Amino acid sequence: MVITKNIDWKVGAFIVSYHALVLALLPVYFSLQVPSTGIVLTAIGIGIVAMLVMTVGYHRLYAHKAFEMNKVGEIIILSLGSLAMQGSALRWAHDH
């Protein structure tokens, strides 16, 4: 059974079109130049930060309230949470 009632079509369309565009243009980018070490390391670093923020911040801090954090830490978590493109922390914690 497919439930389409709660699908946010704007967000879904953005995610699908973004990844389709990246997959379509990536071969063009690689045919024109080899990515520098800095670009590769930056992409890996952003991916690691996004995963950590989702695990520690959105999941453990906001969904389960496993620990408390000062306001500066929360601002950092919320700011870096946008890297993962998972929506707001409130919505993520509620849906989880």
Side-chain angles (χ1 to χ4, degrees), residues 14 19 22-23 26-27 30-31 44 52 55-56 67 69 82-83:
F14 171 75
H19 285 89
V22 167
L23 287 175
L26 205 57
F30 286 140
S31 69
I44 292 170
L52 285 172
T55 302
V56 174
F67 60 93
M69 185 174 271
S82 64
L83 292 172

Side-chain angles (χ1 to χ4, degrees), residues 2-96:
V2 177
I3 300 173
T4 59
K5 183 177 170 183
N6 295 328
I7 294 176
D8 188 346
W9 290 104
K10 286 191 279 188
V11 172
F14 171 75
I15 292 171
V16 169
S17 62
Y18 173 81
H19 285 89
L21 186 64
V22 167
L23 287 175
L25 294 178
L26 205 57
V28 174
Y29 175 75
F30 286 140
S31 69
L32 296 175
Q33 69 183 34
V34 176
S36 68
T37 306
I39 289 176
V40 173
L41 292 177
T42 301
I44 292 170
I46 289 173
I48 291 170
V49 168
M51 286 187 283
L52 285 172
V53 167
M54 293 309 296
T55 302
V56 174
Y58 282 29
H59 185 243
R60 300 295 297 161
L61 178 62
Y62 294 117
H64 297 296
K65 297 184 176 154
F67 60 93
E68 293 181 3
M69 185 174 271
N70 62 26
K71 293 299 178 193
V72 174
E74 284 193 35
I75 290 170
I76 292 170
I77 292 288
L78 291 172
S79 297
L80 293 176
S82 64
L83 292 172
M85 294 181 13
Q86 295 285 317
S88 72
L90 182 61
R91 174 112 178 160
W92 196 98
H94 173 267
D95 292 347
H96 175 68

